[in-house]
Amino acid sequence: MKTKKFCLTLLIAAAFWLTPLATPAKPLVWQGMVSFNFDDGYRNVYDNALPVFQKYGVVASFFPVVQYILDQESYAVTWQQLAECQQDGWEIGSHTMTHPDLTTLTDAQIDYELGQSQKILEQHGVNAKTLVFPYSQYNARVLDYTTRYYENSRADVGSNGFDCDRYHIVSQEVTNTTTPEQAIAWINEAVKNKKWLVLMMHQVVTGPPADYEYNVTDLEKIVAYVANNNIPAVTMQQALAIRDDSLGPNLLKNPNLDKLDKSGWAKDWTRNNAAQVTVTPPAVTRVFSSGNRLRIVGSSQQNVASTATIKLPGSGKKQGYFFSFFAEVDVGSPNAGAEIWLDEFDKKGNYIGGQWLGGLYVDTFGMPGFLYQPSSPQVGEVIIDIYSLAGCNVTFSGSNFYFGFIKPSKNCAPILNLLLQH
Ligand SMILES: [Zn+2]
């Protein structure tokens, strides 16, 4: 998932962090983190917020509506100002061309809003990897197009755990009635629970804030708190890079289903039903779904695909694991879904038990994640089963499978504790 270019971006961003006030004391591993997001691309964010972030050596993410810049609207940021934000380590993403409710558009219109905005940003030196859905409105069709162009997308309300889906990043809006103390309380809660909190704002003003505005003095109190307490303030891209860096090597055999036997089935994988469990070539290109797809079509019986036996390198230790893949799930009837089950064995291959890791019950395009903690120190091997429920109209497609351990480190220990509480 990582590229050299990406690492370079991180290095550059890290260099900007190394200011006297906000030097991250620890190596970057998953922990409580904060992102500051500014939606719509208002010029007053450049005028008022950027100097505050510069003062404390903190970065933010900026999501302009591209047509507002092209039209040189007086309230919109300019290309030059965006470039200055980027030079300061800010992430610039896309908030579409014209800020429509994407769910109301035709396929061609969605494609234009997402693809054209990325293209124009690129023409101005911005490699937009994150999309923010206008009005937080999205559905499977919108995600279908999003996953063709972007690495991440933001929607809905909440805070993000280690197992968050990078196409369903959630945020907390800081409104004109949110006090700095309230925002700081949210940050403290995220730090305590090892969550990644995304604070979302629109305009930043010097006077009393109206709707969709925030006062710059109050903003400074929040930014200063983050900097002075060494709480990692990261861009969206950085947060997900930190998660990637927190993971060990892929332990799955044939994770991309690119090795096939004579019947066209994936080597090292097993299935209970050759009619409904198949490998299919890709239909479209997506950022995180290259190559073949595992396809499971629901029928009267349960249809299941299983991985090869995975030997756990952390056997006997308190070790957490993470399972994820690119998923396209079409749920054709109520209460239908695709589920993930994990079988546990001891080192000699004797069956110990199983764990249900989770399920996908709504139309999905994205990268769901599942956490796993062995039920006892005796677990030495596991097999993961992906299955459709019996009698359900559901079509599951999965690709680019990953299963690996969450790197053991002091900072990751609380994640394991959270797992153990389940
Ligand atoms: Zn917006």
Side-chain angles (χ1 to χ4, degrees):
M1 288 182 204
K2 283 172 283 172
T3 64
K4 269 188 183 158
K5 201 167 154 195
F6 190 21
C7 291
L8 187 64
T9 311
L10 265 184
L11 277 177
I12 293 165
F16 280 104
W17 279 351
L18 298 175
T19 61
L21 284 163
T23 306
K26 300 168 197 160
L28 294 175
V29 294
W30 184 273
Q31 58 195 290
M33 301 186 284
V34 183
S35 290
F36 292 92
N37 281 197
F38 295 96
D39 286 11
D40 300 352
Y42 286 101
R43 182 173 298 204
N44 57 23
V45 170
Y46 169 84
D47 290 335
N48 301 325
L50 179 65
V52 170
F53 283 85
Q54 284 172 329
K55 179 176 170 184
Y56 293 93
V58 170
V59 294
S61 301
F62 208 0
F63 300 103
V65 178
V66 171
Q67 194 63 51
Y68 297 169
I69 313 177
L70 292 177
D71 292 345
Q72 298 182 299
E73 297 287 0
S74 58
Y75 53 79
V77 74
T78 66
W79 291 118
Q80 176 57 35
Q81 290 165 347
L82 262 194
E84 283 180 47
C85 292
Q86 191 167 245
Q87 280 156 22
D88 263 7
W90 284 35
E91 170 185 17
I92 313 296
S94 171
H95 198 27
T96 72
M97 285 300 292
T98 65
H99 206 280
D101 173 349
L102 293 166
T103 63
T104 65
L105 303 186
T106 64
D107 286 11
Q109 288 169 328
I110 296 172
D111 193 60
Y112 171 80
E113 290 286 340
L114 274 49
Q116 185 70 5
S117 59
Q118 187 179 56
K119 194 172 151 192
I120 290 175
L121 285 164
E122 192 176 353
Q123 287 165 358
H124 291 85
V126 173
N127 187 2
K129 302 248 174 118
T130 304
L131 174 76
V132 167
F133 302 124
Y135 316 107
S136 294
Q137 292 299 307
Y138 69 101
N139 55 23
R141 202 162 54 95
V142 170
L143 284 166
D144 179 349
Y145 284 93
T146 303
T147 55
R148 300 177 192 202
Y149 292 107
Y150 295 91
E151 292 188 5
N152 325 300
S153 49
R154 201 201 77 211
D156 298 345
V157 177
S159 59
N160 304 284
F162 188 89
D163 55 347
C164 66
D165 181 337
R166 62 191 306 146
Y167 289 106
H168 293 87
I169 299 166
V170 290
S171 67
Q172 186 74 50
E173 184 172 2
V174 178
T175 72
N176 61 329
T177 58
T178 306
T179 62
E181 291 72 26
Q182 177 64 62
I184 287 167
W186 292 337
I187 291 167
N188 288 338
E189 186 72 12
V191 168
K192 193 177 107 195
N193 295 316
K194 310 294 169 205
K195 295 274 184 123
W196 167 34
L197 175 70
V198 177
L199 293 175
M200 183 266 277
M201 292 169 234
H202 294 86
Q203 305 199 49
V204 177
V205 297
T206 51
D211 282 353
Y212 302 104
E213 293 178 351
Y214 203 65
N215 176 271
V216 68
T217 309
D218 287 343
L219 174 65
E220 180 163 357
K221 286 180 192 164
I222 303 169
V223 175
Y225 181 83
V226 168
N228 294 335
N229 289 281
N230 282 319
I231 296 163
V234 292
T235 65
M236 312 295 262
Q237 276 292 95
Q238 286 167 341
L240 291 154
I242 287 167
R243 180 173 70 179
D244 287 349
D245 284 345
S246 304
L247 293 169
N250 197 345
L251 302 172
L252 290 177
K253 287 180 183 162
N254 199 11
N256 300 326
L257 312 166
D258 47 4
K259 299 182 195 91
L260 303 180
D261 62 21
K262 279 179 191 159
S263 72
W265 174 244
K267 284 182 177 170
D268 299 308
W269 291 68
T270 57
R271 56 181 167 177
N272 73 332
N273 178 349
Q276 267 92 23
V277 185
T278 55
V279 173
T280 59
V284 294
T285 304
R286 302 182 190 283
V287 177
F288 289 117
S289 177
S290 54
N292 291 331
R293 273 76 160 159
L294 169 66
R295 188 174 165 85
I296 303 173
V297 180
S299 69
S300 57
Q301 66 170 62
Q302 188 185 75
N303 297 318
V304 56
S306 305
T307 66
T309 301
I310 307 161
K311 290 200 188 309
L312 300 185
S315 175
K317 293 183 219 147
K318 276 189 184 175
Q319 176 72 68
Y321 293 85
F322 185 61
F323 180 52
S324 77
F325 47 86
F326 186 89
E328 305 174 32
V329 183
D330 181 10
V331 177
S333 61
N335 304 319
E339 306 201 349
I340 317 292
W341 183 267
L342 184 144
D343 297 306
E344 297 181 316
F345 305 87
D346 68 17
K347 277 183 179 166
K348 292 177 181 163
N350 298 307
Y351 183 71
I352 293 176
Q355 271 191 36
W356 181 81
L357 296 189
L360 303 166
Y361 306 104
V362 291
D363 287 346
T364 301
F365 273 90
M367 296 188 72
F370 303 90
L371 294 166
Y372 164 62
Q373 172 75 33
S375 61
S376 79
Q378 279 70 49
V379 179
E381 300 174 353
V382 299
I383 289 174
I384 300 170
D385 305 311
I386 303 165
Y387 57 97
S388 63
L389 297 164
C392 282
N393 177 6
V394 59
T395 304
F396 168 93
S397 277
S399 57
N400 296 63
F401 292 89
Y402 169 85
F403 178 83
F405 56 85
I406 301 166
K407 282 182 189 168
S409 82
K410 274 183 203 158
N411 290 311
C412 281
I415 294 172
L416 301 184
N417 292 341
L418 288 176
L419 279 164
L420 290 167
Q421 284 164 19
H422 284 189

